[in-house]
Amino acid sequence: MPDDLRAFEDRIGYAFRNAELLERALTHPSLLAEGTGTHNQRLEFLGDSVLALILAEQLFKLFPGEREGHLARARSALAKGEYLAGIARKLGLESVLRLSEQEEKAGGRERTSSLEDALEAVVAAVYLDSDFQTARRVVLPWYGDLQALTEHLLSDDNPKGRLQELIQGTSPDTPIAYELVHSEGPDHAKTFIMELRIGGKVSGMGQGRSKKDAEENAAREALEKLGRE
């Protein structure tokens, strides 16, 4: 195994028995056109579900008095594309991501959707190389103090609502509109880019794996510009 992948294993806290699984998890679909064989989309599909179960189980234990809706919002916040991409960057995943030359030039190594997909693929690779208990043991430390993190994320879980309240408080007649600018990727893994206009002026842009996520990220950017984040 190359030294950079061994260093990545150290960072994620897991040593693979089957190195091919790790290599596949880190292979972007753009390389398929260059004839390199399998890429990480199938692993990403599985990893999404494995990660969801790891988080659901842990949240169920951490918040015994909370209702289903609260737990669902917590899991969603912890599995958002932007947040997963942030974890991927902390682990240095972008440095070992395998891309086509064209995708590299297009900035694919820093693309949120690419990092999110690859991180989920790594989760699946760990699971397939071991078992669910091991995957859980490996993944949870990536989040740190999950209880404190969850409480922090949920306090910031409604940027669209906070933006609406802010604008209504200062300019109640000012319209707020979200518009789809672009979408890309296969149907099961699309990335959406939404534009936020306040009073007809572009005030934020957001990207996400759903229109809702993209709108929320656009609202966050607008709040940052307004000095409220």
Side-chain angles (χ1 to χ4, degrees):
M1 180 182 289
D3 290 343
D4 60 341
L5 293 189
R6 291 195 185 281
F8 181 67
E9 285 184 327
D10 290 341
R11 294 195 296 274
I12 66 173
Y14 182 76
F16 280 84
R17 292 174 293 180
N18 181 357
E20 190 274 334
L21 276 171
L22 176 59
E23 291 172 1
R24 192 193 319 167
L26 298 171
T27 300
H28 188 271
S30 62
L31 274 181
L32 187 62
E34 297 184 355
T36 61
T38 56
H39 53 71
N40 65 10
Q41 282 190 333
R42 280 175 53 84
L43 286 175
E44 177 265 327
F45 168 77
L46 176 60
D48 176 72
S49 296
V50 174
L51 178 61
L53 180 55
I54 290 172
L55 292 173
E57 180 189 57
Q58 194 67 9
L59 290 168
F60 185 84
K61 294 176 180 177
L62 287 173
F63 300 98
E66 294 292 352
R67 305 183 129 205
E68 177 189 1
H70 180 90
L71 298 177
R73 288 194 301 274
R75 183 179 62 185
S76 177
L78 293 165
K80 278 183 183 293
E82 290 285 347
Y83 195 80
L84 292 184
I87 292 176
R89 293 185 181 100
K90 287 181 186 176
L91 296 172
L93 189 151
E94 76 281 359
S95 68
V96 290
L97 193 59
R98 301 171 64 196
L99 306 162
S100 69
E101 184 177 349
Q102 181 178 1
E103 183 67 14
E104 179 85 56
K105 290 179 179 177
R109 194 170 295 280
E110 290 295 330
R111 202 187 305 278
T112 294
S113 58
S114 298
L115 293 174
E116 174 193 1
D117 288 352
L119 186 69
E120 290 176 338
V122 169
V123 172
V126 172
Y127 167 71
L128 292 174
D129 197 60
S130 56
D131 51 35
F132 178 75
Q133 290 75 19
T134 302
R136 178 178 56 200
R137 176 182 59 76
V138 170
V139 169
L140 287 176
W142 300 350
Y143 284 90
D145 185 339
L146 194 66
Q147 184 165 359
L149 175 62
T150 300
E151 291 168 352
H152 170 73
L153 289 176
L154 287 185
S155 70
D156 183 39
D157 197 36
N158 186 19
K160 290 177 65 178
R162 288 189 292 116
L163 180 66
Q164 187 80 31
E165 291 177 5
L166 177 63
I167 299 302
Q168 286 182 343
T170 55
S171 306
D173 296 326
T174 302
I176 299 175
Y178 296 87
E179 181 179 343
L180 178 64
V181 176
H182 180 64
S183 64
E184 60 184 22
D187 289 341
H188 75 281
K190 277 191 177 298
T191 297
F192 298 90
I193 299 174
M194 302 292 291
E195 183 178 80
L196 164 63
R197 292 179 176 269
I198 301 176
K201 179 182 177 182
V202 177
S203 301
M205 297 283 288
Q207 176 178 301
R209 296 300 291 272
S210 68
K211 291 180 182 179
K212 180 176 180 292
D213 284 349
E215 289 176 356
E216 289 180 349
N217 288 328
R220 286 191 181 92
E221 182 174 285
L223 286 167
E224 287 175 1
K225 290 179 178 179
L226 293 169
R228 297 304 177 97
E229 280 288 80

mmCIF file of all heavy atoms in Angstrom, residues 82-131:
data_model
loop_
_atom_site.group_PDB
_atom_site.id
_atom_site.type_symbol
_atom_site.label_atom_id
_atom_site.label_comp_id
_atom_site.label_asym_id
_atom_site.label_seq_id
_atom_site.Cartn_x
_atom_site.Cartn_y
_atom_site.Cartn_z
ATOM 1 N N GLU A 82 -22.382 19.248 3.534
ATOM 2 C CA GLU A 82 -21.362 20.211 3.943
ATOM 3 C C GLU A 82 -20.624 19.736 5.181
ATOM 4 O O GLU A 82 -19.405 19.901 5.297
ATOM 5 C CB GLU A 82 -22.008 21.579 4.215
ATOM 6 C CG GLU A 82 -22.524 22.299 2.986
ATOM 7 C CD GLU A 82 -21.416 22.904 2.154
ATOM 8 O OE1 GLU A 82 -20.270 22.966 2.657
ATOM 9 O OE2 GLU A 82 -21.677 23.305 1.013
ATOM 10 N N TYR A 83 -21.367 19.136 6.125
ATOM 11 C CA TYR A 83 -20.717 18.697 7.352
ATOM 12 C C TYR A 83 -19.816 17.496 7.087
ATOM 13 O O TYR A 83 -18.698 17.419 7.602
ATOM 14 C CB TYR A 83 -21.746 18.365 8.438
ATOM 15 C CG TYR A 83 -21.087 18.273 9.785
ATOM 16 C CD1 TYR A 83 -20.795 19.429 10.491
ATOM 17 C CD2 TYR A 83 -20.686 17.052 10.309
ATOM 18 C CE1 TYR A 83 -20.135 19.373 11.705
ATOM 19 C CE2 TYR A 83 -20.025 16.990 11.526
ATOM 20 C CZ TYR A 83 -19.756 18.149 12.210
ATOM 21 O OH TYR A 83 -19.080 18.088 13.401
ATOM 22 N N LEU A 84 -20.293 16.547 6.267
ATOM 23 C CA LEU A 84 -19.463 15.382 5.940
ATOM 24 C C LEU A 84 -18.214 15.810 5.188
ATOM 25 O O LEU A 84 -17.134 15.256 5.401
ATOM 26 C CB LEU A 84 -20.266 14.379 5.109
ATOM 27 C CG LEU A 84 -21.420 13.670 5.813
ATOM 28 C CD1 LEU A 84 -22.040 12.636 4.890
ATOM 29 C CD2 LEU A 84 -20.958 13.016 7.110
ATOM 30 N N ALA A 85 -18.351 16.784 4.299
ATOM 31 C CA ALA A 85 -17.175 17.276 3.578
ATOM 32 C C ALA A 85 -16.172 17.899 4.547
ATOM 33 O O ALA A 85 -14.959 17.773 4.366
ATOM 34 C CB ALA A 85 -17.595 18.292 2.519
ATOM 35 N N GLY A 86 -16.683 18.558 5.591
ATOM 36 C CA GLY A 86 -15.793 19.124 6.600
ATOM 37 C C GLY A 86 -15.028 18.047 7.341
ATOM 38 O O GLY A 86 -13.824 18.200 7.614
ATOM 39 N N ILE A 87 -15.706 16.938 7.683
ATOM 40 C CA ILE A 87 -15.016 15.818 8.316
ATOM 41 C C ILE A 87 -13.957 15.252 7.378
ATOM 42 O O ILE A 87 -12.831 14.942 7.791
ATOM 43 C CB ILE A 87 -16.023 14.716 8.709
ATOM 44 C CG1 ILE A 87 -16.934 15.207 9.828
ATOM 45 C CG2 ILE A 87 -15.293 13.440 9.143
ATOM 46 C CD1 ILE A 87 -18.016 14.223 10.223
ATOM 47 N N ALA A 88 -14.329 15.116 6.103
ATOM 48 C CA ALA A 88 -13.385 14.588 5.113
ATOM 49 C C ALA A 88 -12.127 15.446 5.053
ATOM 50 O O ALA A 88 -10.999 14.927 4.982
ATOM 51 C CB ALA A 88 -14.054 14.519 3.740
ATOM 52 N N ARG A 89 -12.297 16.757 5.104
ATOM 53 C CA ARG A 89 -11.134 17.661 5.061
ATOM 54 C C ARG A 89 -10.280 17.520 6.320
ATOM 55 O O ARG A 89 -9.051 17.565 6.253
ATOM 56 C CB ARG A 89 -11.608 19.103 4.882
ATOM 57 C CG ARG A 89 -12.247 19.370 3.518
ATOM 58 C CD ARG A 89 -12.601 20.838 3.324
ATOM 59 N NE ARG A 89 -13.225 21.055 2.029
ATOM 60 C CZ ARG A 89 -14.536 21.182 1.847
ATOM 61 N NH1 ARG A 89 -15.363 21.142 2.890
ATOM 62 N NH2 ARG A 89 -15.021 21.358 0.640
ATOM 63 N N LYS A 90 -10.924 17.350 7.476
ATOM 64 C CA LYS A 90 -10.164 17.150 8.712
ATOM 65 C C LYS A 90 -9.324 15.887 8.646
ATOM 66 O O LYS A 90 -8.220 15.825 9.207
ATOM 67 C CB LYS A 90 -11.123 17.054 9.902
ATOM 68 C CG LYS A 90 -11.761 18.367 10.310
ATOM 69 C CD LYS A 90 -12.675 18.140 11.512
ATOM 70 C CE LYS A 90 -13.446 19.386 11.869
ATOM 71 N NZ LYS A 90 -14.404 19.133 12.982
ATOM 72 N N LEU A 91 -9.844 14.880 7.965
ATOM 73 C CA LEU A 91 -9.123 13.616 7.831
ATOM 74 C C LEU A 91 -8.111 13.647 6.687
ATOM 75 O O LEU A 91 -7.387 12.673 6.476
ATOM 76 C CB LEU A 91 -10.124 12.477 7.590
ATOM 77 C CG LEU A 91 -11.110 12.190 8.737
ATOM 78 C CD1 LEU A 91 -12.153 11.177 8.289
ATOM 79 C CD2 LEU A 91 -10.370 11.674 9.964
ATOM 80 N N GLY A 92 -8.074 14.749 5.951
ATOM 81 C CA GLY A 92 -7.146 14.853 4.830
ATOM 82 C C GLY A 92 -7.532 13.969 3.661
ATOM 83 O O GLY A 92 -6.671 13.558 2.874
ATOM 84 N N LEU A 93 -8.823 13.688 3.521
ATOM 85 C CA LEU A 93 -9.263 12.794 2.444
ATOM 86 C C LEU A 93 -8.970 13.374 1.063
ATOM 87 O O LEU A 93 -8.661 12.629 0.119
ATOM 88 C CB LEU A 93 -10.767 12.505 2.600
ATOM 89 C CG LEU A 93 -11.383 11.437 1.699
ATOM 90 C CD1 LEU A 93 -12.578 10.784 2.386
ATOM 91 C CD2 LEU A 93 -11.847 12.007 0.363
ATOM 92 N N GLU A 94 -9.069 14.700 0.940
ATOM 93 C CA GLU A 94 -8.857 15.305 -0.382
ATOM 94 C C GLU A 94 -7.464 15.007 -0.932
ATOM 95 O O GLU A 94 -7.265 14.945 -2.147
ATOM 96 C CB GLU A 94 -9.108 16.816 -0.326
ATOM 97 C CG GLU A 94 -8.019 17.658 0.316
ATOM 98 C CD GLU A 94 -8.056 17.612 1.843
ATOM 99 O OE1 GLU A 94 -8.948 16.945 2.407
ATOM 100 O OE2 GLU A 94 -7.180 18.240 2.471
ATOM 101 N N SER A 95 -6.504 14.773 -0.051
ATOM 102 C CA SER A 95 -5.129 14.541 -0.505
ATOM 103 C C SER A 95 -4.939 13.157 -1.127
ATOM 104 O O SER A 95 -3.965 12.930 -1.851
ATOM 105 C CB SER A 95 -4.150 14.723 0.651
ATOM 106 O OG SER A 95 -4.320 13.698 1.625
ATOM 107 N N VAL A 96 -5.865 12.227 -0.845
ATOM 108 C CA VAL A 96 -5.723 10.864 -1.375
ATOM 109 C C VAL A 96 -6.847 10.504 -2.350
ATOM 110 O O VAL A 96 -6.927 9.375 -2.812
ATOM 111 C CB VAL A 96 -5.688 9.820 -0.231
ATOM 112 C CG1 VAL A 96 -4.395 9.943 0.547
ATOM 113 C CG2 VAL A 96 -6.882 9.960 0.696
ATOM 114 N N LEU A 97 -7.701 11.466 -2.661
ATOM 115 C CA LEU A 97 -8.784 11.226 -3.613
ATOM 116 C C LEU A 97 -8.205 11.043 -5.012
ATOM 117 O O LEU A 97 -7.344 11.815 -5.450
ATOM 118 C CB LEU A 97 -9.740 12.413 -3.580
ATOM 119 C CG LEU A 97 -11.099 12.262 -4.253
ATOM 120 C CD1 LEU A 97 -11.887 11.108 -3.651
ATOM 121 C CD2 LEU A 97 -11.886 13.566 -4.133
ATOM 122 N N ARG A 98 -8.666 10.020 -5.715
ATOM 123 C CA ARG A 98 -8.164 9.710 -7.060
ATOM 124 C C ARG A 98 -9.138 10.271 -8.082
ATOM 125 O O ARG A 98 -10.288 9.862 -8.157
ATOM 126 C CB ARG A 98 -8.017 8.200 -7.222
ATOM 127 C CG ARG A 98 -7.065 7.579 -6.202
ATOM 128 C CD ARG A 98 -7.117 6.063 -6.251
ATOM 129 N NE ARG A 98 -6.650 5.546 -7.513
ATOM 130 C CZ ARG A 98 -6.867 4.302 -7.943
ATOM 131 N NH1 ARG A 98 -7.576 3.463 -7.185
ATOM 132 N NH2 ARG A 98 -6.394 3.896 -9.096
ATOM 133 N N LEU A 99 -8.651 11.229 -8.888
ATOM 134 C CA LEU A 99 -9.485 11.950 -9.851
ATOM 135 C C LEU A 99 -8.892 11.878 -11.245
ATOM 136 O O LEU A 99 -7.693 11.657 -11.414
ATOM 137 C CB LEU A 99 -9.585 13.429 -9.458
ATOM 138 C CG LEU A 99 -10.058 13.786 -8.058
ATOM 139 C CD1 LEU A 99 -9.671 15.219 -7.741
ATOM 140 C CD2 LEU A 99 -11.548 13.618 -7.955
ATOM 141 N N SER A 100 -9.749 12.115 -12.248
ATOM 142 C CA SER A 100 -9.236 12.282 -13.593
ATOM 143 C C SER A 100 -8.509 13.629 -13.678
ATOM 144 O O SER A 100 -8.734 14.520 -12.838
ATOM 145 C CB SER A 100 -10.369 12.263 -14.619
ATOM 146 O OG SER A 100 -11.175 13.424 -14.484
ATOM 147 N N GLU A 101 -7.674 13.780 -14.658
ATOM 148 C CA GLU A 101 -6.940 15.038 -14.827
ATOM 149 C C GLU A 101 -7.903 16.198 -15.049
ATOM 150 O O GLU A 101 -7.712 17.290 -14.509
ATOM 151 C CB GLU A 101 -5.981 14.926 -16.018
ATOM 152 C CG GLU A 101 -5.112 16.151 -16.222
ATOM 153 C CD GLU A 101 -4.119 15.977 -17.354
ATOM 154 O OE1 GLU A 101 -3.962 14.839 -17.853
ATOM 155 O OE2 GLU A 101 -3.499 16.982 -17.750
ATOM 156 N N GLN A 102 -8.958 15.952 -15.818
ATOM 157 C CA GLN A 102 -9.939 17.004 -16.098
ATOM 158 C C GLN A 102 -10.668 17.422 -14.827
ATOM 159 O O GLN A 102 -10.865 18.614 -14.566
ATOM 160 C CB GLN A 102 -10.941 16.530 -17.141
ATOM 161 C CG GLN A 102 -11.988 17.577 -17.515
ATOM 162 C CD GLN A 102 -12.925 17.076 -18.599
ATOM 163 O OE1 GLN A 102 -12.825 15.946 -19.063
ATOM 164 N NE2 GLN A 102 -13.851 17.927 -18.999
ATOM 165 N N GLU A 103 -11.083 16.441 -14.024
ATOM 166 C CA GLU A 103 -11.775 16.749 -12.772
ATOM 167 C C GLU A 103 -10.847 17.461 -11.798
ATOM 168 O O GLU A 103 -11.270 18.358 -11.062
ATOM 169 C CB GLU A 103 -12.305 15.462 -12.148
ATOM 170 C CG GLU A 103 -13.099 15.648 -10.872
ATOM 171 C CD GLU A 103 -14.425 16.361 -11.058
ATOM 172 O OE1 GLU A 103 -14.881 16.491 -12.211
ATOM 173 O OE2 GLU A 103 -15.003 16.797 -10.049
ATOM 174 N N GLU A 104 -9.589 17.089 -11.792
ATOM 175 C CA GLU A 104 -8.592 17.758 -10.949
ATOM 176 C C GLU A 104 -8.500 19.231 -11.313
ATOM 177 O O GLU A 104 -8.529 20.107 -10.438
ATOM 178 C CB GLU A 104 -7.232 17.089 -11.135
ATOM 179 C CG GLU A 104 -6.106 17.696 -10.324
ATOM 180 C CD GLU A 104 -6.033 17.151 -8.912
ATOM 181 O OE1 GLU A 104 -5.937 15.933 -8.735
ATOM 182 O OE2 GLU A 104 -6.078 17.979 -7.983
ATOM 183 N N LYS A 105 -8.411 19.523 -12.606
ATOM 184 C CA LYS A 105 -8.302 20.902 -13.071
ATOM 185 C C LYS A 105 -9.561 21.694 -12.764
ATOM 186 O O LYS A 105 -9.510 22.914 -12.589
ATOM 187 C CB LYS A 105 -8.011 20.924 -14.572
ATOM 188 C CG LYS A 105 -6.621 20.437 -14.943
ATOM 189 C CD LYS A 105 -6.414 20.464 -16.444
ATOM 190 C CE LYS A 105 -5.011 19.993 -16.818
ATOM 191 N NZ LYS A 105 -4.812 19.956 -18.302
ATOM 192 N N ALA A 106 -10.699 20.996 -12.706
ATOM 193 C CA ALA A 106 -11.982 21.668 -12.442
ATOM 194 C C ALA A 106 -12.227 21.888 -10.950
ATOM 195 O O ALA A 106 -13.288 22.368 -10.563
ATOM 196 C CB ALA A 106 -13.123 20.852 -13.040
ATOM 197 N N GLY A 107 -11.250 21.536 -10.115
ATOM 198 C CA GLY A 107 -11.390 21.749 -8.683
ATOM 199 C C GLY A 107 -12.118 20.646 -7.957
ATOM 200 O O GLY A 107 -12.600 20.845 -6.833
ATOM 201 N N GLY A 108 -12.176 19.463 -8.561
ATOM 202 C CA GLY A 108 -12.911 18.358 -7.973
ATOM 203 C C GLY A 108 -12.383 17.887 -6.639
ATOM 204 O O GLY A 108 -13.133 17.329 -5.838
ATOM 205 N N ARG A 109 -11.111 18.114 -6.378
ATOM 206 C CA ARG A 109 -10.521 17.655 -5.114
ATOM 207 C C ARG A 109 -11.116 18.394 -3.913
ATOM 208 O O ARG A 109 -11.098 17.872 -2.796
ATOM 209 C CB ARG A 109 -9.000 17.838 -5.157
ATOM 210 C CG ARG A 109 -8.256 17.097 -4.065
ATOM 211 C CD ARG A 109 -6.762 17.107 -4.299
ATOM 212 N NE ARG A 109 -6.392 16.377 -5.482
ATOM 213 C CZ ARG A 109 -6.284 15.054 -5.564
ATOM 214 N NH1 ARG A 109 -6.539 14.315 -4.501
ATOM 215 N NH2 ARG A 109 -5.943 14.468 -6.694
ATOM 216 N N GLU A 110 -11.659 19.584 -4.141
ATOM 217 C CA GLU A 110 -12.262 20.360 -3.058
ATOM 218 C C GLU A 110 -13.776 20.418 -3.168
ATOM 219 O O GLU A 110 -14.425 21.064 -2.345
ATOM 220 C CB GLU A 110 -11.698 21.783 -3.060
ATOM 221 C CG GLU A 110 -10.245 21.890 -2.621
ATOM 222 C CD GLU A 110 -10.070 21.474 -1.161
ATOM 223 O OE1 GLU A 110 -11.018 21.664 -0.374
ATOM 224 O OE2 GLU A 110 -9.001 20.969 -0.816
ATOM 225 N N ARG A 111 -14.332 19.730 -4.148
ATOM 226 C CA ARG A 111 -15.781 19.781 -4.344
ATOM 227 C C ARG A 111 -16.497 19.072 -3.195
ATOM 228 O O ARG A 111 -16.189 17.934 -2.863
ATOM 229 C CB ARG A 111 -16.149 19.128 -5.673
ATOM 230 C CG ARG A 111 -17.497 19.579 -6.228
ATOM 231 C CD ARG A 111 -17.874 18.777 -7.460
ATOM 232 N NE ARG A 111 -16.860 18.804 -8.502
ATOM 233 C CZ ARG A 111 -16.713 19.769 -9.383
ATOM 234 N NH1 ARG A 111 -17.523 20.814 -9.340
ATOM 235 N NH2 ARG A 111 -15.777 19.701 -10.306
ATOM 236 N N THR A 112 -17.471 19.754 -2.600
ATOM 237 C CA THR A 112 -18.185 19.198 -1.449
ATOM 238 C C THR A 112 -18.795 17.848 -1.755
ATOM 239 O O THR A 112 -18.685 16.903 -0.970
ATOM 240 C CB THR A 112 -19.279 20.183 -0.989
ATOM 241 O OG1 THR A 112 -18.655 21.366 -0.486
ATOM 242 C CG2 THR A 112 -20.148 19.573 0.106
ATOM 243 N N SER A 113 -19.468 17.726 -2.895
ATOM 244 C CA SER A 113 -20.142 16.471 -3.235
ATOM 245 C C SER A 113 -19.143 15.331 -3.394
ATOM 246 O O SER A 113 -19.420 14.195 -2.981
ATOM 247 C CB SER A 113 -20.966 16.635 -4.508
ATOM 248 O OG SER A 113 -20.155 17.042 -5.600
ATOM 249 N N SER A 114 -17.969 15.603 -3.948
ATOM 250 C CA SER A 114 -16.956 14.562 -4.131
ATOM 251 C C SER A 114 -16.415 14.083 -2.789
ATOM 252 O O SER A 114 -16.216 12.880 -2.576
ATOM 253 C CB SER A 114 -15.798 15.087 -4.988
ATOM 254 O OG SER A 114 -16.244 15.441 -6.288
ATOM 255 N N LEU A 115 -16.187 15.021 -1.872
ATOM 256 C CA LEU A 115 -15.663 14.662 -0.562
ATOM 257 C C LEU A 115 -16.713 13.913 0.262
ATOM 258 O O LEU A 115 -16.395 12.939 0.948
ATOM 259 C CB LEU A 115 -15.210 15.918 0.184
ATOM 260 C CG LEU A 115 -14.000 16.632 -0.420
ATOM 261 C CD1 LEU A 115 -13.741 17.939 0.315
ATOM 262 C CD2 LEU A 115 -12.763 15.751 -0.379
ATOM 263 N N GLU A 116 -17.954 14.361 0.180
ATOM 264 C CA GLU A 116 -19.032 13.671 0.898
ATOM 265 C C GLU A 116 -19.171 12.232 0.405
ATOM 266 O O GLU A 116 -19.240 11.291 1.201
ATOM 267 C CB GLU A 116 -20.351 14.411 0.693
ATOM 268 C CG GLU A 116 -21.548 13.688 1.293
ATOM 269 C CD GLU A 116 -22.868 14.240 0.826
ATOM 270 O OE1 GLU A 116 -22.877 15.185 0.008
ATOM 271 O OE2 GLU A 116 -23.913 13.724 1.271
ATOM 272 N N ASP A 117 -19.227 12.074 -0.922
ATOM 273 C CA ASP A 117 -19.377 10.731 -1.498
ATOM 274 C C ASP A 117 -18.214 9.827 -1.094
ATOM 275 O O ASP A 117 -18.417 8.651 -0.738
ATOM 276 C CB ASP A 117 -19.446 10.811 -3.024
ATOM 277 C CG ASP A 117 -20.757 11.401 -3.519
ATOM 278 O OD1 ASP A 117 -21.668 11.604 -2.690
ATOM 279 O OD2 ASP A 117 -20.863 11.671 -4.725
ATOM 280 N N ALA A 118 -17.009 10.360 -1.156
ATOM 281 C CA ALA A 118 -15.837 9.548 -0.833
ATOM 282 C C ALA A 118 -15.823 9.166 0.641
ATOM 283 O O ALA A 118 -15.461 8.033 0.991
ATOM 284 C CB ALA A 118 -14.555 10.304 -1.197
ATOM 285 N N LEU A 119 -16.236 10.087 1.525
ATOM 286 C CA LEU A 119 -16.260 9.752 2.954
ATOM 287 C C LEU A 119 -17.273 8.643 3.218
ATOM 288 O O LEU A 119 -16.990 7.699 3.961
ATOM 289 C CB LEU A 119 -16.603 10.983 3.780
ATOM 290 C CG LEU A 119 -16.519 10.766 5.297
ATOM 291 C CD1 LEU A 119 -15.070 10.575 5.741
ATOM 292 C CD2 LEU A 119 -17.138 11.941 6.057
ATOM 293 N N GLU A 120 -18.452 8.739 2.614
ATOM 294 C CA GLU A 120 -19.448 7.682 2.773
ATOM 295 C C GLU A 120 -18.932 6.364 2.207
ATOM 296 O O GLU A 120 -19.193 5.292 2.763
ATOM 297 C CB GLU A 120 -20.754 8.085 2.104
ATOM 298 C CG GLU A 120 -21.476 9.208 2.837
ATOM 299 C CD GLU A 120 -22.721 9.696 2.131
ATOM 300 O OE1 GLU A 120 -22.826 9.489 0.905
ATOM 301 O OE2 GLU A 120 -23.592 10.282 2.794
ATOM 302 N N ALA A 121 -18.205 6.442 1.100
ATOM 303 C CA ALA A 121 -17.620 5.235 0.521
ATOM 304 C C ALA A 121 -16.586 4.615 1.456
ATOM 305 O O ALA A 121 -16.483 3.383 1.569
ATOM 306 C CB ALA A 121 -16.981 5.552 -0.840
ATOM 307 N N VAL A 122 -15.818 5.448 2.147
ATOM 308 C CA VAL A 122 -14.841 4.946 3.120
ATOM 309 C C VAL A 122 -15.558 4.241 4.269
ATOM 310 O O VAL A 122 -15.118 3.188 4.747
ATOM 311 C CB VAL A 122 -13.952 6.088 3.643
ATOM 312 C CG1 VAL A 122 -13.121 5.631 4.839
ATOM 313 C CG2 VAL A 122 -13.023 6.592 2.531
ATOM 314 N N VAL A 123 -16.687 4.801 4.715
ATOM 315 C CA VAL A 123 -17.477 4.155 5.767
ATOM 316 C C VAL A 123 -17.890 2.756 5.314
ATOM 317 O O VAL A 123 -17.766 1.777 6.059
ATOM 318 C CB VAL A 123 -18.723 4.993 6.115
ATOM 319 C CG1 VAL A 123 -19.640 4.219 7.068
ATOM 320 C CG2 VAL A 123 -18.322 6.325 6.739
ATOM 321 N N ALA A 124 -18.380 2.656 4.078
ATOM 322 C CA ALA A 124 -18.787 1.354 3.544
ATOM 323 C C ALA A 124 -17.600 0.408 3.437
ATOM 324 O O ALA A 124 -17.718 -0.795 3.723
ATOM 325 C CB ALA A 124 -19.434 1.530 2.171
ATOM 326 N N ALA A 125 -16.458 0.930 3.028
ATOM 327 C CA ALA A 125 -15.270 0.097 2.884
ATOM 328 C C ALA A 125 -14.836 -0.481 4.229
ATOM 329 O O ALA A 125 -14.480 -1.665 4.326
ATOM 330 C CB ALA A 125 -14.133 0.914 2.260
ATOM 331 N N VAL A 126 -14.880 0.343 5.277
ATOM 332 C CA VAL A 126 -14.544 -0.143 6.619
ATOM 333 C C VAL A 126 -15.529 -1.226 7.039
ATOM 334 O O VAL A 126 -15.143 -2.281 7.567
ATOM 335 C CB VAL A 126 -14.548 1.014 7.640
ATOM 336 C CG1 VAL A 126 -14.392 0.481 9.070
ATOM 337 C CG2 VAL A 126 -13.433 2.015 7.331
ATOM 338 N N TYR A 127 -16.810 -0.977 6.803
ATOM 339 C CA TYR A 127 -17.858 -1.939 7.157
ATOM 340 C C TYR A 127 -17.652 -3.273 6.436
ATOM 341 O O TYR A 127 -17.716 -4.345 7.066
ATOM 342 C CB TYR A 127 -19.211 -1.331 6.805
ATOM 343 C CG TYR A 127 -20.364 -2.307 6.826
ATOM 344 C CD1 TYR A 127 -20.858 -2.819 8.020
ATOM 345 C CD2 TYR A 127 -20.957 -2.710 5.634
ATOM 346 C CE1 TYR A 127 -21.920 -3.713 8.038
ATOM 347 C CE2 TYR A 127 -22.020 -3.601 5.635
ATOM 348 C CZ TYR A 127 -22.498 -4.104 6.837
ATOM 349 O OH TYR A 127 -23.544 -4.992 6.842
ATOM 350 N N LEU A 128 -17.389 -3.229 5.132
ATOM 351 C CA LEU A 128 -17.203 -4.461 4.353
ATOM 352 C C LEU A 128 -15.914 -5.179 4.741
ATOM 353 O O LEU A 128 -15.835 -6.411 4.673
ATOM 354 C CB LEU A 128 -17.196 -4.145 2.856
ATOM 355 C CG LEU A 128 -18.531 -3.680 2.265
ATOM 356 C CD1 LEU A 128 -18.337 -3.258 0.814
ATOM 357 C CD2 LEU A 128 -19.587 -4.775 2.375
ATOM 358 N N ASP A 129 -14.920 -4.433 5.149
ATOM 359 C CA ASP A 129 -13.629 -5.021 5.513
ATOM 360 C C ASP A 129 -13.650 -5.609 6.922
ATOM 361 O O ASP A 129 -12.759 -6.372 7.284
ATOM 362 C CB ASP A 129 -12.536 -3.946 5.429
ATOM 363 C CG ASP A 129 -11.139 -4.536 5.395
ATOM 364 O OD1 ASP A 129 -10.837 -5.302 4.462
ATOM 365 O OD2 ASP A 129 -10.357 -4.232 6.318
ATOM 366 N N SER A 130 -14.685 -5.242 7.704
ATOM 367 C CA SER A 130 -14.745 -5.710 9.097
ATOM 368 C C SER A 130 -16.172 -6.114 9.449
ATOM 369 O O SER A 130 -16.665 -7.151 9.028
ATOM 370 C CB SER A 130 -14.222 -4.622 10.031
ATOM 371 O OG SER A 130 -14.930 -3.408 9.850
ATOM 372 N N ASP A 131 -16.862 -5.261 10.221
ATOM 373 C CA ASP A 131 -18.250 -5.509 10.602
ATOM 374 C C ASP A 131 -18.837 -4.196 11.100
ATOM 375 O O ASP A 131 -18.152 -3.166 11.167
ATOM 376 C CB ASP A 131 -18.345 -6.597 11.682
ATOM 377 C CG ASP A 131 -17.430 -6.338 12.869
ATOM 378 O OD1 ASP A 131 -17.245 -5.151 13.237
ATOM 379 O OD2 ASP A 131 -16.882 -7.309 13.430
#
